[in-house]
Coordinates of all heavy atoms in Angstrom, one line a residue:
M1 N 16.9 -11.8 12.4 CA 16.6 -10.7 11.4 C 16.2 -9.4 12.3 O 15.5 -9.5 13.2 CB 15.4 -11.1 10.6 CG 15.0 -10.1 9.5 SD 13.5 -10.6 8.7 CE 13.7 -9.8 7.1
E2 N 16.9 -8.3 11.9 CA 16.7 -7.1 12.6 C 15.3 -6.5 12.3 O 14.8 -6.4 11.2 CB 17.7 -6.1 12.2 CG 17.8 -4.8 13.0 CD 18.7 -3.8 12.5 OE1 19.6 -4.2 11.7 OE2 18.5 -2.6 12.8
L3 N 14.6 -6.1 13.4 CA 13.3 -5.5 13.2 C 13.4 -4.0 12.8 O 14.3 -3.3 13.3 CB 12.5 -5.5 14.6 CG 12.0 -6.9 15.0 CD1 11.2 -6.7 16.3 CD2 11.0 -7.5 14.0
Q4 N 12.6 -3.6 11.9 CA 12.5 -2.2 11.5 C 11.1 -1.7 11.9 O 10.1 -2.4 11.9 CB 12.6 -2.1 10.0 CG 14.0 -2.4 9.5 CD 14.1 -2.2 8.0 OE1 13.9 -3.1 7.2 NE2 14.3 -1.0 7.5
R5 N 11.1 -0.4 12.3 CA 9.9 0.2 12.9 C 9.3 1.2 11.9 O 10.1 2.0 11.3 CB 10.2 0.8 14.2 CG 10.8 -0.1 15.3 CD 10.9 0.6 16.6 NE 9.7 1.0 17.2 CZ 9.0 0.2 18.0 NH1 9.6 -0.9 18.4 NH2 7.9 0.5 18.5
Y6 N 8.0 1.2 11.8 CA 7.3 2.1 11.0 C 6.1 2.6 11.8 O 5.6 1.8 12.6 CB 6.8 1.5 9.7 CG 7.9 1.1 8.8 CD1 8.5 -0.2 8.9 CD2 8.4 1.9 7.8 CE1 9.5 -0.6 8.1 CE2 9.5 1.5 7.0 CZ 10.0 0.3 7.1 OH 11.0 -0.1 6.3
D7 N 5.6 3.8 11.5 CA 4.4 4.3 12.1 C 3.2 3.4 11.6 O 2.3 3.0 12.4 CB 4.1 5.7 11.8 CG 5.1 6.7 12.4 OD1 5.6 6.4 13.5 OD2 5.4 7.7 11.8
V8 N 3.3 3.1 10.3 CA 2.2 2.3 9.7 C 2.8 1.3 8.7 O 3.6 1.6 7.9 CB 1.3 3.3 8.9 CG1 0.1 2.5 8.3 CG2 0.8 4.4 9.7
V9 N 2.3 0.0 8.8 CA 2.5 -1.0 7.8 C 1.2 -1.3 7.1 O 0.2 -1.6 7.7 CB 3.1 -2.3 8.4 CG1 3.3 -3.3 7.4 CG2 4.4 -1.9 9.1
I10 N 1.2 -1.1 5.8 CA 0.0 -1.4 5.0 C 0.2 -2.7 4.3 O 1.2 -2.9 3.5 CB -0.2 -0.2 4.0 CG1 -0.5 1.1 4.8 CG2 -1.3 -0.5 3.0 CD1 -0.6 2.3 3.9
V11 N -0.8 -3.6 4.5 CA -0.7 -4.9 3.8 C -1.6 -4.8 2.5 O -2.8 -4.7 2.6 CB -1.3 -6.0 4.7 CG1 -1.2 -7.3 4.0 CG2 -0.5 -6.0 6.1
G12 N -0.9 -4.8 1.4 CA -1.6 -4.7 0.1 C -1.3 -3.3 -0.5 O -1.6 -2.3 0.0
G13 N -0.8 -3.4 -1.7 CA -0.4 -2.2 -2.5 C -1.3 -2.0 -3.7 O -0.9 -1.6 -4.8
G14 N -2.6 -2.3 -3.5 CA -3.6 -1.9 -4.6 C -4.0 -0.5 -4.4 O -3.4 0.3 -3.8
A15 N -5.1 -0.1 -5.1 CA -5.6 1.2 -5.0 C -5.9 1.7 -3.6 O -5.5 2.8 -3.2 CB -6.9 1.4 -5.8
A16 N -6.4 0.8 -2.8 CA -6.7 1.2 -1.4 C -5.5 1.4 -0.6 O -5.3 2.5 0.1 CB -7.6 0.2 -0.7
G17 N -4.6 0.5 -0.6 CA -3.3 0.6 0.2 C -2.5 1.7 -0.2 O -1.9 2.5 0.6
L18 N -2.4 2.0 -1.6 CA -1.6 3.1 -2.0 C -2.2 4.4 -1.7 O -1.5 5.4 -1.4 CB -1.3 2.9 -3.5 CG -0.4 1.8 -3.9 CD1 -0.3 1.6 -5.4 CD2 1.0 2.0 -3.3
S19 N -3.5 4.5 -1.7 CA -4.2 5.7 -1.4 C -3.9 6.1 0.1 O -3.6 7.2 0.5 CB -5.7 5.6 -1.6 OG -6.0 5.5 -2.9
G20 N -4.0 5.0 0.9 CA -3.7 5.2 2.4 C -2.2 5.6 2.6 O -1.9 6.5 3.4
A21 N -1.3 5.0 1.8 CA 0.1 5.3 1.9 C 0.4 6.7 1.6 O 1.2 7.4 2.2 CB 0.9 4.3 1.1
L22 N -0.3 7.2 0.5 CA -0.1 8.5 0.0 C -0.5 9.5 1.1 O 0.3 10.5 1.5 CB -0.8 8.8 -1.3 CG -0.8 10.2 -1.9 CD1 0.7 10.6 -2.2 CD2 -1.6 10.3 -3.1
A23 N -1.7 9.3 1.6 CA -2.2 10.3 2.7 C -1.3 10.3 3.9 O -1.0 11.3 4.5 CB -3.7 9.9 3.0
L24 N -0.9 9.1 4.3 CA -0.2 9.0 5.6 C 1.3 9.5 5.4 O 1.8 10.1 6.3 CB -0.2 7.5 6.1 CG -1.5 7.0 6.6 CD1 -1.6 5.5 6.6 CD2 -1.7 7.6 8.0
A25 N 1.9 9.2 4.3 CA 3.2 9.7 4.0 C 3.2 11.2 3.9 O 4.1 11.9 4.4 CB 3.8 9.1 2.7
R26 N 2.1 11.8 3.3 CA 2.0 13.2 3.2 C 1.9 13.8 4.6 O 2.3 15.0 4.9 CB 0.8 13.7 2.4 CG 1.1 13.4 0.9 CD 0.0 14.2 0.1 NE 0.2 15.6 0.1 CZ -0.6 16.5 0.5 NH1 -1.8 16.1 0.9 NH2 -0.3 17.8 0.5
A27 N 1.3 13.1 5.5 CA 1.1 13.5 6.9 C 2.4 13.2 7.8 O 2.3 13.2 9.0 CB -0.1 12.9 7.6
R28 N 3.5 12.9 7.1 CA 4.8 12.7 7.7 C 4.9 11.5 8.6 O 5.7 11.5 9.5 CB 5.2 14.0 8.4 CG 5.2 15.2 7.5 CD 5.6 16.5 8.2 NE 7.0 16.5 8.7 CZ 8.0 16.8 7.9 NH1 7.8 17.2 6.7 NH2 9.2 16.8 8.4
R29 N 4.0 10.5 8.3 CA 4.2 9.2 9.0 C 5.2 8.4 8.2 O 5.3 8.5 7.0 CB 2.8 8.5 9.1 CG 1.8 9.2 9.8 CD 2.2 9.5 11.3 NE 1.1 10.0 12.1 CZ 0.8 11.3 12.2 NH1 1.5 12.2 11.6 NH2 -0.2 11.7 13.0
S30 N 5.9 7.5 8.9 CA 6.8 6.5 8.2 C 5.9 5.4 7.8 O 5.1 4.8 8.6 CB 7.9 6.1 9.1 OG 7.5 5.5 10.3
V31 N 5.9 5.0 6.5 CA 5.0 4.1 6.0 C 5.7 3.0 5.2 O 6.6 3.3 4.4 CB 4.0 4.8 5.0 CG1 3.0 3.8 4.4 CG2 3.2 5.9 5.8
L32 N 5.3 1.7 5.5 CA 5.8 0.6 4.7 C 4.6 -0.1 4.0 O 3.6 -0.4 4.7 CB 6.6 -0.4 5.5 CG 7.0 -1.7 4.8 CD1 8.1 -1.4 3.8 CD2 7.5 -2.8 5.8
V33 N 4.6 -0.3 2.7 CA 3.6 -1.0 2.0 C 4.2 -2.3 1.6 O 5.3 -2.4 0.9 CB 3.1 -0.3 0.8 CG1 2.0 -1.1 0.0 CG2 2.6 1.1 1.1
I34 N 3.5 -3.4 1.9 CA 4.0 -4.8 1.5 C 2.9 -5.3 0.6 O 1.7 -5.4 0.9 CB 4.1 -5.7 2.7 CG1 5.1 -5.1 3.7 CG2 4.6 -7.1 2.3 CD1 5.1 -5.9 5.1
D35 N 3.3 -5.6 -0.6 CA 2.3 -6.0 -1.7 C 2.6 -7.3 -2.4 O 3.7 -7.4 -2.9 CB 2.2 -4.8 -2.7 CG 1.1 -5.1 -3.7 OD1 0.0 -5.6 -3.3 OD2 1.3 -4.8 -4.9
A36 N 1.7 -8.2 -2.4 CA 1.9 -9.5 -3.1 C 1.7 -9.4 -4.6 O 1.9 -10.4 -5.3 CB 0.9 -10.5 -2.5
G37 N 1.2 -8.2 -5.1 CA 1.2 -8.0 -6.5 C 0.1 -8.7 -7.3 O 0.3 -9.1 -8.5
E38 N -1.0 -8.9 -6.6 CA -2.1 -9.6 -7.3 C -3.4 -8.8 -7.2 O -4.4 -9.2 -6.6 CB -2.3 -11.0 -6.7 CG -1.1 -11.9 -6.9 CD -1.2 -13.2 -6.1 OE1 -2.0 -13.3 -5.1 OE2 -0.4 -14.1 -6.4
P39 N -3.4 -7.6 -7.8 CA -4.6 -6.8 -7.7 C -5.8 -7.5 -8.4 O -5.6 -8.1 -9.4 CB -4.2 -5.5 -8.4 CG -3.1 -5.9 -9.3 CD -2.4 -7.0 -8.6
R40 N -7.0 -7.3 -7.9 CA -8.2 -8.1 -8.4 C -8.5 -7.7 -9.8 O -9.1 -8.5 -10.5 CB -9.4 -7.9 -7.5 CG -10.0 -6.5 -7.5 CD -11.0 -6.3 -6.4 NE -10.2 -6.2 -5.1 CZ -10.8 -6.1 -4.0 NH1 -12.1 -6.1 -3.9 NH2 -10.1 -5.9 -2.9
N41 N -8.2 -6.4 -10.2 CA -8.6 -6.0 -11.6 C -7.5 -6.3 -12.6 O -7.5 -5.7 -13.7 CB -9.0 -4.6 -11.6 CG -7.9 -3.6 -11.2 OD1 -6.8 -4.1 -10.7 ND2 -8.1 -2.3 -11.4
A42 N -6.5 -7.1 -12.3 CA -5.4 -7.4 -13.2 C -5.9 -7.9 -14.6 O -5.3 -7.6 -15.6 CB -4.4 -8.4 -12.6
P43 N -7.0 -8.7 -14.6 CA -7.4 -9.1 -15.9 C -8.0 -8.0 -16.8 O -8.1 -8.2 -18.0 CB -8.5 -10.2 -15.6 CG -8.4 -10.5 -14.2 CD -7.8 -9.2 -13.5
A44 N -8.4 -6.9 -16.2 CA -9.0 -5.8 -17.0 C -7.9 -5.1 -17.9 O -6.8 -4.9 -17.4 CB -9.7 -4.8 -16.1
S45 N -8.3 -4.7 -19.1 CA -7.3 -4.0 -19.9 C -7.3 -2.5 -19.6 O -6.2 -1.9 -19.7 CB -7.7 -4.2 -21.4 OG -9.0 -3.8 -21.7
H46 N -8.4 -2.0 -19.1 CA -8.4 -0.5 -18.8 C -9.3 -0.3 -17.6 O -10.3 -1.0 -17.4 CB -8.9 0.3 -20.0 CG -8.1 0.1 -21.2 ND1 -8.3 -0.8 -22.2 CD2 -7.0 0.9 -21.7 CE1 -7.4 -0.7 -23.1 NE2 -6.6 0.3 -22.8
V47 N -9.0 0.8 -16.9 CA -9.8 1.3 -15.8 C -10.8 2.3 -16.3 O -10.4 3.2 -17.1 CB -8.9 1.9 -14.7 CG1 -9.8 2.6 -13.6 CG2 -8.1 0.8 -14.1
H48 N -12.1 2.2 -15.9 CA -13.1 3.2 -16.3 C -13.7 3.8 -15.1 O -13.7 3.3 -14.0 CB -14.1 2.5 -17.2 CG -13.6 1.9 -18.4 ND1 -13.1 2.6 -19.5 CD2 -13.3 0.6 -18.8 CE1 -12.6 1.8 -20.4 NE2 -12.7 0.6 -20.0
N49 N -14.3 5.0 -15.4 CA -15.1 5.8 -14.4 C -14.2 6.2 -13.2 O -14.7 6.2 -12.1 CB -16.3 5.0 -13.9 CG -17.2 4.6 -15.0 OD1 -17.4 5.4 -15.9 ND2 -17.7 3.4 -15.0
Y50 N -12.9 6.4 -13.5 CA -12.0 6.9 -12.5 C -11.6 8.3 -13.0 O -10.8 8.4 -13.9 CB -10.8 6.0 -12.4 CG -10.0 6.2 -11.1 CD1 -9.8 5.1 -10.2 CD2 -9.3 7.3 -10.9 CE1 -9.0 5.3 -9.1 CE2 -8.5 7.5 -9.8 CZ -8.4 6.5 -8.9 OH -7.6 6.7 -7.7
L51 N -12.1 9.3 -12.3 CA -12.0 10.7 -12.9 C -10.5 11.1 -13.0 O -9.7 10.9 -12.1 CB -12.7 11.7 -11.9 CG -12.8 13.1 -12.5 CD1 -13.7 13.1 -13.7 CD2 -13.4 14.0 -11.4
G52 N -10.2 11.5 -14.2 CA -8.8 12.0 -14.5 C -7.9 10.9 -15.0 O -6.8 11.2 -15.5
R53 N -8.3 9.6 -14.9 CA -7.5 8.5 -15.4 C -8.3 7.5 -16.3 O -8.1 6.3 -16.3 CB -6.9 7.7 -14.3 CG -5.9 8.5 -13.5 CD -4.6 8.7 -14.2 NE -3.7 9.5 -13.4 CZ -2.6 10.0 -13.9 NH1 -2.2 9.9 -15.2 NH2 -1.8 10.8 -13.1
E54 N -9.4 8.1 -17.0 CA -10.2 7.2 -17.8 C -9.4 6.4 -18.8 O -8.5 7.0 -19.5 CB -11.3 8.1 -18.5 CG -12.2 7.3 -19.5 CD -13.0 6.2 -18.8 OE1 -13.2 6.3 -17.6 OE2 -13.4 5.3 -19.5
S55 N -9.6 5.1 -18.9 CA -9.0 4.2 -19.8 C -7.5 3.9 -19.6 O -6.8 3.4 -20.4 CB -9.2 4.7 -21.3 OG -10.5 4.6 -21.7
T56 N -7.0 4.2 -18.4 CA -5.7 3.9 -18.0 C -5.6 2.4 -17.7 O -6.4 1.8 -17.1 CB -5.2 4.7 -16.8 OG1 -5.4 6.0 -17.0 CG2 -3.8 4.4 -16.4
P57 N -4.5 1.7 -18.2 CA -4.4 0.3 -17.9 C -4.1 0.1 -16.4 O -3.5 1.0 -15.8 CB -3.1 -0.1 -18.6 CG -3.0 0.8 -19.8 CD -3.6 2.1 -19.2
P58 N -4.7 -0.9 -15.7 CA -4.6 -1.0 -14.3 C -3.2 -1.0 -13.7 O -2.9 -0.4 -12.7 CB -5.3 -2.4 -14.0 CG -6.1 -2.7 -15.1 CD -5.5 -2.0 -16.3
G59 N -2.3 -1.7 -14.4 CA -0.9 -1.7 -14.0 C -0.3 -0.3 -14.0 O 0.6 0.0 -13.1
E60 N -0.7 0.5 -15.0 CA -0.1 1.9 -15.1 C -0.6 2.7 -14.0 O 0.1 3.5 -13.4 CB -0.5 2.4 -16.5 CG 0.2 3.7 -16.8 CD -0.2 4.2 -18.2 OE1 -0.3 3.4 -19.2 OE2 -0.5 5.4 -18.3
L61 N -1.9 2.6 -13.7 CA -2.5 3.3 -12.5 C -1.8 3.0 -11.2 O -1.4 3.9 -10.5 CB -4.0 3.0 -12.4 CG -4.7 3.9 -11.4 CD1 -4.8 5.3 -11.8 CD2 -6.1 3.3 -11.2
L62 N -1.5 1.8 -11.0 CA -0.7 1.4 -9.8 C 0.7 1.9 -9.8 O 1.2 2.3 -8.7 CB -0.7 -0.1 -9.6 CG -2.1 -0.8 -9.3 CD1 -2.0 -2.3 -9.1 CD2 -2.7 -0.1 -8.0
A63 N 1.3 1.9 -11.0 CA 2.7 2.4 -11.0 C 2.7 3.9 -10.7 O 3.6 4.4 -10.0 CB 3.3 2.2 -12.4
I64 N 1.7 4.6 -11.2 CA 1.6 6.1 -10.9 C 1.4 6.2 -9.4 O 2.0 7.1 -8.7 CB 0.4 6.7 -11.7 CG1 0.7 6.7 -13.2 CG2 0.1 8.1 -11.1 CD1 -0.5 7.0 -14.0
G65 N 0.5 5.4 -8.8 CA 0.3 5.5 -7.4 C 1.5 5.2 -6.5 O 1.8 5.8 -5.5
R66 N 2.2 4.1 -7.0 CA 3.5 3.8 -6.2 C 4.5 5.0 -6.2 O 5.1 5.3 -5.2 CB 4.1 2.5 -6.8 CG 3.4 1.3 -6.4 CD 4.3 0.0 -6.8 NE 4.4 -0.1 -8.2 CZ 3.6 -0.8 -8.9 NH1 2.6 -1.5 -8.4 NH2 3.8 -1.0 -10.2
N67 N 4.6 5.6 -7.4 CA 5.5 6.8 -7.5 C 5.1 7.9 -6.7 O 5.9 8.6 -6.0 CB 5.6 7.2 -9.0 CG 6.6 6.4 -9.8 OD1 7.4 5.7 -9.2 ND2 6.4 6.4 -11.1
E68 N 3.7 8.2 -6.6 CA 3.2 9.3 -5.8 C 3.5 9.0 -4.3 O 3.9 9.9 -3.6 CB 1.7 9.5 -6.1 CG 1.4 10.1 -7.5 CD 0.0 10.2 -7.8 OE1 -0.9 9.6 -7.0 OE2 -0.4 10.9 -8.7
A69 N 3.2 7.8 -3.9 CA 3.4 7.5 -2.5 C 4.9 7.5 -2.1 O 5.3 8.1 -1.1 CB 2.8 6.1 -2.1
A70 N 5.7 6.9 -3.0 CA 7.2 6.9 -2.7 C 7.7 8.3 -2.8 O 8.7 8.6 -2.0 CB 7.9 6.0 -3.8
G71 N 7.1 9.2 -3.5 CA 7.6 10.6 -3.6 C 7.5 11.3 -2.3 O 8.2 12.3 -2.0
Y72 N 6.6 10.8 -1.4 CA 6.5 11.4 -0.1 C 7.2 10.5 1.0 O 7.0 10.7 2.2 CB 5.0 11.6 0.3 CG 4.3 12.8 -0.5 CD1 3.6 12.5 -1.6 CD2 4.5 14.1 0.0 CE1 3.0 13.6 -2.3 CE2 4.0 15.1 -0.7 CZ 3.2 14.9 -1.8 OH 2.7 16.0 -2.5
G73 N 7.9 9.5 0.5 CA 8.8 8.8 1.4 C 8.2 7.4 1.8 O 8.9 6.7 2.6
A74 N 7.1 7.0 1.3 CA 6.6 5.7 1.6 C 7.5 4.6 1.0 O 8.0 4.8 -0.1 CB 5.2 5.5 1.1
E75 N 7.8 3.6 1.7 CA 8.6 2.4 1.2 C 7.6 1.4 0.7 O 6.6 1.1 1.4 CB 9.5 1.8 2.3 CG 10.7 2.7 2.6 CD 11.5 2.0 3.7 OE1 11.8 0.8 3.6 OE2 11.9 2.7 4.6
I76 N 7.9 0.8 -0.4 CA 7.0 -0.2 -1.0 C 7.8 -1.4 -1.4 O 8.8 -1.3 -2.1 CB 6.3 0.3 -2.3 CG1 5.5 1.6 -1.9 CG2 5.4 -0.7 -2.9 CD1 5.0 2.5 -3.1
V77 N 7.5 -2.6 -0.8 CA 8.2 -3.8 -1.1 C 7.3 -4.9 -1.6 O 6.1 -4.9 -1.2 CB 9.0 -4.3 0.2 CG1 10.0 -3.2 0.6 CG2 8.1 -4.6 1.3
A78 N 7.9 -5.8 -2.4 CA 7.1 -7.0 -2.8 C 7.2 -8.0 -1.7 O 8.3 -8.3 -1.2 CB 7.7 -7.5 -4.1
G79 N 6.1 -8.7 -1.4 CA 6.1 -9.7 -0.5 C 4.6 -10.0 0.0 O 3.7 -9.3 -0.4
R80 N 4.5 -11.1 0.7 CA 3.2 -11.5 1.2 C 3.2 -11.6 2.7 O 4.1 -12.2 3.3 CB 2.7 -12.8 0.6 CG 1.3 -13.3 1.0 CD 0.9 -14.6 0.4 NE 0.9 -14.4 -1.1 CZ -0.2 -13.9 -1.7 NH1 -1.3 -13.5 -1.1 NH2 -0.2 -13.8 -3.0
V81 N 2.3 -10.8 3.4 CA 2.3 -10.9 4.8 C 1.6 -12.1 5.3 O 0.5 -12.4 4.8 CB 1.5 -9.6 5.4 CG1 1.3 -9.7 6.9 CG2 2.4 -8.4 5.1
A82 N 2.2 -12.9 6.2 CA 1.7 -14.1 6.6 C 1.0 -14.0 8.0 O 0.0 -14.7 8.3 CB 2.8 -15.2 6.8
S83 N 1.4 -13.0 8.8 CA 0.8 -12.8 10.1 C 1.0 -11.4 10.6 O 2.0 -10.7 10.1 CB 1.3 -13.8 11.1 OG 2.7 -13.5 11.3
A84 N 0.2 -11.0 11.5 CA 0.4 -9.7 12.2 C 0.0 -10.0 13.7 O -1.1 -10.5 14.0 CB -0.5 -8.6 11.7
E85 N 0.9 -9.7 14.6 CA 0.7 -10.0 16.0 C 1.1 -8.8 16.9 O 2.1 -8.2 16.6 CB 1.4 -11.3 16.5 CG 2.9 -11.2 16.2 CD 3.6 -12.5 16.6 OE1 3.0 -13.3 17.3 OE2 4.8 -12.6 16.3
R86 N 0.2 -8.6 17.9 CA 0.5 -7.5 18.8 C 1.8 -7.9 19.6 O 1.9 -9.0 20.1 CB -0.6 -7.2 19.7 CG -0.4 -6.0 20.6 CD -1.6 -5.9 21.6 NE -2.8 -5.5 21.0 CZ -3.1 -4.2 20.7 NH1 -2.2 -3.3 20.9 NH2 -4.3 -3.9 20.1
L87 N 2.7 -7.0 19.7 CA 3.9 -7.2 20.6 C 3.5 -7.1 22.0 O 2.6 -6.3 22.4 CB 5.0 -6.2 20.3 CG 5.6 -6.3 18.9 CD1 6.4 -5.1 18.5 CD2 6.5 -7.6 18.8
P88 N 4.1 -8.0 22.9 CA 3.8 -7.9 24.3 C 4.2 -6.6 24.9 O 5.2 -6.0 24.5 CB 4.6 -9.1 24.9 CG 5.6 -9.4 23.9 CD 5.2 -8.9 22.5
G89 N 3.4 -6.2 25.9 CA 3.8 -5.0 26.6 C 2.6 -4.0 26.6 O 1.4 -4.5 26.4
A90 N 2.9 -2.8 26.7 CA 1.8 -1.8 26.8 C 1.1 -1.7 25.4 O 1.6 -2.2 24.4 CB 2.4 -0.4 27.0
E91 N -0.2 -1.2 25.4 CA -1.0 -1.3 24.2 C -0.4 -0.5 23.0 O -0.6 -0.9 21.9 CB -2.4 -0.6 24.5 CG -3.3 -1.6 25.1 CD -4.8 -1.3 24.8 OE1 -5.0 -0.3 24.1 OE2 -5.6 -2.1 25.2
D92 N 0.4 0.5 23.3 CA 1.0 1.3 22.2 C 2.3 0.8 21.7 O 3.0 1.4 20.9 CB 1.1 2.7 22.6 CG 2.0 3.0 23.7 OD1 2.4 2.0 24.3 OD2 2.2 4.1 24.1
V93 N 2.7 -0.5 22.1 CA 4.0 -1.0 21.7 C 4.0 -1.3 20.2 O 5.0 -1.1 19.5 CB 4.4 -2.3 22.5 CG1 5.6 -3.0 21.9 CG2 4.7 -1.9 23.9
G94 N 2.9 -1.8 19.7 CA 2.8 -2.0 18.2 C 2.6 -3.5 17.9 O 2.3 -4.3 18.7
F95 N 2.8 -3.7 16.6 CA 2.6 -5.1 16.0 C 3.8 -5.5 15.3 O 4.6 -4.7 14.7 CB 1.4 -5.0 15.0 CG 0.1 -4.7 15.6 CD1 -0.3 -3.4 15.9 CD2 -0.8 -5.7 15.9 CE1 -1.5 -3.1 16.5 CE2 -2.0 -5.5 16.5 CZ -2.4 -4.2 16.8
R96 N 4.0 -6.8 15.2 CA 5.1 -7.4 14.4 C 4.3 -8.0 13.2 O 3.4 -8.8 13.3 CB 5.8 -8.5 15.1 CG 6.9 -9.2 14.2 CD 7.5 -10.4 14.8 NE 8.4 -10.0 15.9 CZ 8.3 -10.4 17.2 NH1 7.3 -11.2 17.5 NH2 9.2 -10.0 18.0
V97 N 4.8 -7.6 12.0 CA 4.1 -8.1 10.7 C 5.1 -8.9 9.9 O 6.3 -8.5 9.8 CB 3.7 -6.8 9.9 CG1 3.1 -7.3 8.5 CG2 2.7 -6.0 10.6
Ligands
FAD101 C1 -12.3 -7.3 -13.6 C2 -12.4 -6.1 -12.8 C3 -12.5 -4.8 -13.4 C4 -12.7 -3.7 -12.6 N1 -12.8 -2.5 -13.3 C5 -12.9 -1.3 -12.6 C6 -13.1 -0.1 -13.3 O1 -13.1 0.0 -14.5 N2 -13.2 1.0 -12.5 C7 -13.1 1.0 -11.1 O2 -13.2 2.1 -10.5 N3 -13.0 -0.2 -10.5 C8 -12.9 -1.3 -11.2 N4 -12.8 -2.5 -10.5 C9 -12.8 -2.5 -9.0 C10 -11.4 -2.2 -8.6 O3 -10.4 -3.0 -9.2 C11 -11.3 -2.4 -7.1 O4 -12.2 -1.6 -6.5 C12 -9.9 -2.1 -6.5 O5 -8.9 -2.8 -7.2 C13 -9.9 -2.4 -5.1 O6 -8.6 -2.0 -4.6 P1 -8.0 -2.7 -3.3 O7 -6.7 -2.0 -3.1 O8 -9.0 -2.8 -2.2 O9 -7.7 -4.2 -3.8 P2 -6.8 -4.9 -4.9 O10 -6.7 -3.9 -6.1 O11 -7.3 -6.2 -5.1 O12 -5.4 -4.9 -4.2 C14 -5.1 -5.7 -3.1 C15 -3.6 -5.9 -3.1 O13 -3.3 -6.5 -1.8 C16 -2.4 -7.6 -2.0 N5 -2.5 -8.5 -0.9 C17 -3.6 -9.2 -0.5 N6 -3.2 -9.9 0.6 C18 -1.9 -9.6 0.9 C19 -1.0 -10.1 1.9 N7 -1.4 -11.0 2.9 N8 0.3 -9.6 1.9 C20 0.7 -8.7 0.9 N9 -0.2 -8.3 0.0 C21 -1.5 -8.7 -0.1 C22 -2.8 -8.2 -3.3 O14 -1.8 -9.0 -3.9 C23 -3.1 -6.9 -4.2 O15 -2.0 -6.4 -4.8 C24 -12.7 -3.7 -11.2 C25 -12.5 -5.0 -10.6 C26 -12.4 -6.1 -11.3 C27 -12.2 -7.4 -10.6

């Protein structure tokens, strides 16, 4: 399998991962988000106390976040990361995820 390189690979596309992806993609970093699609608030019907999005269903909030991050070039794929290991060589060579 051919390796693809990104400045940043984010494991998890919940609120935290997508927020990071948005900021990093806006800063012109190449970003890949890998998400297993099991956000912890999935059982909730609505999100509360989130300024500007009061009572939004959790899935809708994530869909909005995915669109915002993708709009700045972040790639978002479905999948589960099993491991992350530092590649051999100099410290700045990176990681294989
Ligand atoms: C029932 C409930 C109701 C809530 N209601 C509110 C509310 O009203 N207002 C509010 O502000 N907060 C609420 N929260 C809290 C809010 O849901 C969390 O703060 C928020 O979801 C945390 O975001 P996160 O991205 O850290 O984690 P999550 O939303 O849990 O997302 C983590 C993502 O990472 C993925 N993942 C994990 N491991 C891997 C892996 N190895 N490879 C790939 N993907 C992986 C998961 O599948 C998931 O999609 C609620 C929480 C719960 C449980």
Side-chain angles (χ1 to χ4, degrees):
M1 185 186 207
E2 190 185 338
L3 285 183
Q4 288 180 269
R5 299 184 71 92
Y6 295 87
D7 294 326
V8 185
V9 176
I10 295 175
V11 181
L18 291 174
S19 296
L22 177 61
L24 288 159
R26 288 194 71 237
R28 304 178 66 87
R29 300 299 189 273
S30 60
V31 179
L32 175 68
V33 179
I34 304 171
D35 184 40
E38 296 167 346
R40 73 193 70 182
N41 63 348
S45 56
H46 298 90
V47 171
H48 299 290
N49 303 322
Y50 195 118
L51 190 63
R53 294 289 179 191
E54 177 60 22
S55 290
T56 302
E60 191 177 316
L61 187 67
L62 290 181
I64 292 167
R66 282 194 293 271
N67 278 338
E68 288 178 346
Y72 286 99
E75 287 181 44
I76 302 164
V77 298
R80 184 177 295 278
V81 171
S83 68
E85 57 183 346
R86 185 185 289 279
L87 292 167
E91 273 209 358
D92 60 353
V93 168
F95 294 82
R96 177 188 288 121
V97 175

